[in-house]
Amino acid sequence: MTDLSPRNPDWWRQAVIYQVYPRSFADADGDGLGDIKGVTQRLNHLAVLGVDALWLSPFYPSELADGGYDVADHRDVDPRLGTLDDFDAMVAEAHRLGLKVIVDLVPNHTSHLHPWFQEALRAGPGSPARDRYVFRPGRGTHGELPPTDWQSVFGGSAWRRVADGDWYLHLFAPEQPDLDWGNEEVRADFRTTLRFWCDRGVDGFRVDVAHGLAKDLDDPLRDVGDVGATGEEALDRVAPGTHPYWDRDEVHEIYRDWRKVLDAYSPPRTAVAEAWVPDARRALYARPDELGQAFNFEYLQTGWDADALREAIGASLATARTVGASATWVLSNHDVVRHASRLILPPGTDENAWLLSGGRAPRTDEAAGLRRARAATLLMLALPGSSYLYQGEELGLPEVADLPVPVLQDPVWEQTGRVRKGRDGCRVPLPWTRTGPSYGFGPGGAWLPQPASFAAYAVQAQSGTEGSTLELYRTALRLRRKLQEGETLTWAPEAVAGVLDFTRTEAWRCVTNLSAAPVPLPPGEVLLTSTPLHEGRLAPDTTVWLGP
């Protein structure tokens, strides 16, 4: 059984962490935007659900050019979301309920409204203020061309020109200028930020774009050419650690420095890297003298296929083992199509095209998607390591694919010339009650419109309802905590094609049928199923947990 006592330094190794996207979780003041007090008021939901920690996505001062990841002050709370006193009250209540608190740290860039960047604009070319960021003169006769061919993750050039002719780097939105991590003032300021939140009782950090901080900024800057600017495919085309701005070897020096800060607390603070890098490189971020854990995106990106999932699971466990870390598992988050919709899309579906069609091409069977999502959840929760849940998945929420264009907020939509619809569909505010102007999200409306179908998914509609997805999660998490032991699994040699079958301990066996036909149920006591069994057979898209 996992030891979650306050002094256990390894509580995170097999924890279940629940991601709260604060602007969409709960609205206490009625302005339509979720806030810190709203989170505090709903913390009991997480305690009853049975998770071990909450991860709070950015709540810092921001103009929301990128959903809060454009941070104007890394050591404060956005006034629309509350105050530092509200944050302290939330942490205290979480700890009273036995929940750890992890906060999002955004070190690659700031908002263009950050005092440092505003100072840099005023100071002019060559100033120490500009040295905190990546400013360069342009190319061309009059400096009218960007310094390199580097591209933004959100589309278009990663460079923007300012009034005095200099260009600054933004690997994401133009409102998110990249910091220069070769500058000691930048490094010192983030050490201060780490201590600031640790001193307020935070138990750990999720590190945004962890693979992007170190960049090859020696002049002249080099183009990437046909290597590509974004994604793992770019890293596959260069020697490991040598891409101009992704996953450079020098980035690990930064995290070794951070680990000294995190280990100065008792118990040591945890950290997990968001690093979109190949499997073997991900392990470097999870080394014990660095962040200690890294998100496993290979698993998230693997389709509903037994062979592919078994390979991804084996590789992930092996990779984590090489550095003494525990594996991480995630099915949904604030950046991807919710898995209740994604897993039911036909293989090879262009998800952006599907979103642009409003979820109508191809049409999806919502009930079938939920069935598959429930099976996928029980499979994930049975795996050794940490499971990260995204708010609303415990309700079985599907992607809201048909949001009308006028309400879209994600900068990806405009940045790509209205070619990529963006991530708003997984960020629609949660339904808590069957009725109300925002289904209990707040006393008024919500910043993104909720579909009428959300009434049936609401916490109120599912709580105490036998067979509901919410009750499935509650039961699964309660059993998981009781059954969890060790960090290994053993595959059953007799598993039939299309079935994943493994044991964690003598008391815990997990079997998932990903085939198109029912299969015989192995012997053992049925502890939990994602959907009811029929005549002792495991239906397609069903997971069962078995005891001896």
mmCIF file of all heavy atoms in Angstrom, residues 165-180:
data_model
loop_
_atom_site.group_PDB
_atom_site.id
_atom_site.type_symbol
_atom_site.label_atom_id
_atom_site.label_comp_id
_atom_site.label_asym_id
_atom_site.label_seq_id
_atom_site.Cartn_x
_atom_site.Cartn_y
_atom_site.Cartn_z
ATOM 1 N N GLY A 165 13.547 48.018 -34.103
ATOM 2 C CA GLY A 165 14.174 47.171 -35.122
ATOM 3 C C GLY A 165 14.647 45.821 -34.642
ATOM 4 O O GLY A 165 14.849 44.910 -35.445
ATOM 5 N N ASP A 166 14.879 45.657 -33.340
ATOM 6 C CA ASP A 166 15.266 44.347 -32.805
ATOM 7 C C ASP A 166 14.124 43.341 -32.938
ATOM 8 O O ASP A 166 12.946 43.715 -33.023
ATOM 9 C CB ASP A 166 15.632 44.490 -31.318
ATOM 10 C CG ASP A 166 17.143 44.477 -31.094
ATOM 11 O OD1 ASP A 166 17.889 44.482 -32.083
ATOM 12 O OD2 ASP A 166 17.567 44.477 -29.926
ATOM 13 N N TRP A 167 14.506 42.075 -32.931
ATOM 14 C CA TRP A 167 13.526 40.989 -32.941
ATOM 15 C C TRP A 167 13.684 40.196 -31.636
ATOM 16 O O TRP A 167 14.793 40.034 -31.139
ATOM 17 C CB TRP A 167 13.775 40.037 -34.111
ATOM 18 C CG TRP A 167 13.600 40.641 -35.478
ATOM 19 C CD1 TRP A 167 14.436 41.511 -36.100
ATOM 20 C CD2 TRP A 167 12.530 40.378 -36.392
ATOM 21 N NE1 TRP A 167 13.971 41.826 -37.361
ATOM 22 C CE2 TRP A 167 12.793 41.132 -37.564
ATOM 23 C CE3 TRP A 167 11.391 39.589 -36.346
ATOM 24 C CZ2 TRP A 167 11.946 41.112 -38.678
ATOM 25 C CZ3 TRP A 167 10.546 39.567 -37.452
ATOM 26 C CH2 TRP A 167 10.818 40.327 -38.596
ATOM 27 N N TYR A 168 12.562 39.700 -31.090
ATOM 28 C CA TYR A 168 12.642 38.834 -29.912
ATOM 29 C C TYR A 168 12.041 37.471 -30.225
ATOM 30 O O TYR A 168 11.156 37.327 -31.068
ATOM 31 C CB TYR A 168 11.962 39.464 -28.693
ATOM 32 C CG TYR A 168 10.457 39.559 -28.765
ATOM 33 C CD1 TYR A 168 9.632 38.489 -28.354
ATOM 34 C CD2 TYR A 168 9.831 40.727 -29.221
ATOM 35 C CE1 TYR A 168 8.256 38.581 -28.413
ATOM 36 C CE2 TYR A 168 8.454 40.819 -29.271
ATOM 37 C CZ TYR A 168 7.669 39.751 -28.875
ATOM 38 O OH TYR A 168 6.301 39.839 -28.931
ATOM 39 N N LEU A 169 12.544 36.470 -29.523
ATOM 40 C CA LEU A 169 12.136 35.085 -29.733
ATOM 41 C C LEU A 169 10.898 34.745 -28.903
ATOM 42 O O LEU A 169 10.824 35.072 -27.728
ATOM 43 C CB LEU A 169 13.281 34.142 -29.338
ATOM 44 C CG LEU A 169 13.009 32.633 -29.461
ATOM 45 C CD1 LEU A 169 12.885 32.218 -30.927
ATOM 46 C CD2 LEU A 169 14.144 31.845 -28.780
ATOM 47 N N HIS A 170 9.943 34.063 -29.543
ATOM 48 C CA HIS A 170 8.778 33.524 -28.829
ATOM 49 C C HIS A 170 8.446 32.168 -29.449
ATOM 50 O O HIS A 170 7.871 32.075 -30.506
ATOM 51 C CB HIS A 170 7.573 34.470 -28.901
ATOM 52 C CG HIS A 170 7.072 34.738 -30.295
ATOM 53 N ND1 HIS A 170 6.110 33.953 -30.909
ATOM 54 C CD2 HIS A 170 7.425 35.686 -31.197
ATOM 55 C CE1 HIS A 170 5.879 34.418 -32.134
ATOM 56 N NE2 HIS A 170 6.665 35.458 -32.334
ATOM 57 N N LEU A 171 8.824 31.102 -28.778
ATOM 58 C CA LEU A 171 8.562 29.772 -29.326
ATOM 59 C C LEU A 171 7.082 29.411 -29.247
ATOM 60 O O LEU A 171 6.656 28.424 -29.841
ATOM 61 C CB LEU A 171 9.390 28.719 -28.582
ATOM 62 C CG LEU A 171 10.892 28.755 -28.854
ATOM 63 C CD1 LEU A 171 11.601 27.667 -28.058
ATOM 64 C CD2 LEU A 171 11.192 28.608 -30.340
ATOM 65 N N PHE A 172 6.307 30.236 -28.535
ATOM 66 C CA PHE A 172 4.866 30.012 -28.468
ATOM 67 C C PHE A 172 4.178 31.282 -28.994
ATOM 68 O O PHE A 172 4.501 31.714 -30.086
ATOM 69 C CB PHE A 172 4.462 29.613 -27.042
ATOM 70 C CG PHE A 172 5.024 28.255 -26.673
ATOM 71 C CD1 PHE A 172 6.304 28.136 -26.139
ATOM 72 C CD2 PHE A 172 4.300 27.102 -26.918
ATOM 73 C CE1 PHE A 172 6.845 26.884 -25.837
ATOM 74 C CE2 PHE A 172 4.820 25.847 -26.628
ATOM 75 C CZ PHE A 172 6.099 25.736 -26.093
ATOM 76 N N ALA A 173 3.265 31.878 -28.269
ATOM 77 C CA ALA A 173 2.566 33.067 -28.764
ATOM 78 C C ALA A 173 3.489 34.288 -28.725
ATOM 79 O O ALA A 173 4.419 34.343 -27.911
ATOM 80 C CB ALA A 173 1.321 33.327 -27.920
ATOM 81 N N PRO A 174 3.242 35.291 -29.559
ATOM 82 C CA PRO A 174 4.046 36.514 -29.509
ATOM 83 C C PRO A 174 3.998 37.190 -28.137
ATOM 84 O O PRO A 174 4.924 37.918 -27.773
ATOM 85 C CB PRO A 174 3.411 37.402 -30.585
ATOM 86 C CG PRO A 174 2.728 36.456 -31.512
ATOM 87 C CD PRO A 174 2.256 35.318 -30.661
ATOM 88 N N GLU A 175 2.928 36.934 -27.397
ATOM 89 C CA GLU A 175 2.805 37.504 -26.055
ATOM 90 C C GLU A 175 3.609 36.737 -25.018
ATOM 91 O O GLU A 175 3.531 37.044 -23.819
ATOM 92 C CB GLU A 175 1.324 37.518 -25.638
ATOM 93 C CG GLU A 175 0.431 38.413 -26.477
ATOM 94 C CD GLU A 175 -0.096 37.712 -27.736
ATOM 95 O OE1 GLU A 175 0.303 36.549 -28.000
ATOM 96 O OE2 GLU A 175 -0.903 38.341 -28.462
ATOM 97 N N GLN A 176 4.402 35.744 -25.474
ATOM 98 C CA GLN A 176 5.188 34.907 -24.568
ATOM 99 C C GLN A 176 6.669 34.929 -24.953
ATOM 100 O O GLN A 176 7.211 33.953 -25.471
ATOM 101 C CB GLN A 176 4.662 33.464 -24.603
ATOM 102 C CG GLN A 176 3.250 33.312 -24.051
ATOM 103 C CD GLN A 176 2.669 31.947 -24.337
ATOM 104 O OE1 GLN A 176 2.361 31.617 -25.480
ATOM 105 N NE2 GLN A 176 2.517 31.131 -23.310
ATOM 106 N N PRO A 177 7.376 36.025 -24.707
ATOM 107 C CA PRO A 177 8.798 36.103 -25.063
ATOM 108 C C PRO A 177 9.637 35.105 -24.266
ATOM 109 O O PRO A 177 9.466 34.963 -23.045
ATOM 110 C CB PRO A 177 9.172 37.549 -24.718
ATOM 111 C CG PRO A 177 8.163 37.967 -23.685
ATOM 112 C CD PRO A 177 6.894 37.263 -24.060
ATOM 113 N N ASP A 178 10.550 34.425 -24.942
ATOM 114 C CA ASP A 178 11.403 33.428 -24.302
ATOM 115 C C ASP A 178 12.490 34.095 -23.463
ATOM 116 O O ASP A 178 13.123 35.062 -23.890
ATOM 117 C CB ASP A 178 12.078 32.539 -25.356
ATOM 118 C CG ASP A 178 11.155 31.458 -25.859
ATOM 119 O OD1 ASP A 178 10.015 31.786 -26.247
ATOM 120 O OD2 ASP A 178 11.570 30.285 -25.886
ATOM 121 N N LEU A 179 12.716 33.524 -22.285
ATOM 122 C CA LEU A 179 13.822 33.958 -21.437
ATOM 123 C C LEU A 179 15.133 33.356 -21.914
ATOM 124 O O LEU A 179 15.142 32.285 -22.539
ATOM 125 C CB LEU A 179 13.561 33.527 -19.988
ATOM 126 C CG LEU A 179 12.423 34.267 -19.264
ATOM 127 C CD1 LEU A 179 11.995 33.490 -18.036
ATOM 128 C CD2 LEU A 179 12.851 35.687 -18.893
ATOM 129 N N ASP A 180 16.232 34.013 -21.609
ATOM 130 C CA ASP A 180 17.564 33.497 -21.901
ATOM 131 C C ASP A 180 18.119 32.853 -20.635
ATOM 132 O O ASP A 180 18.540 33.540 -19.695
ATOM 133 C CB ASP A 180 18.487 34.623 -22.365
ATOM 134 C CG ASP A 180 19.880 34.115 -22.740
ATOM 135 O OD1 ASP A 180 20.176 32.916 -22.484
ATOM 136 O OD2 ASP A 180 20.677 34.912 -23.267
#
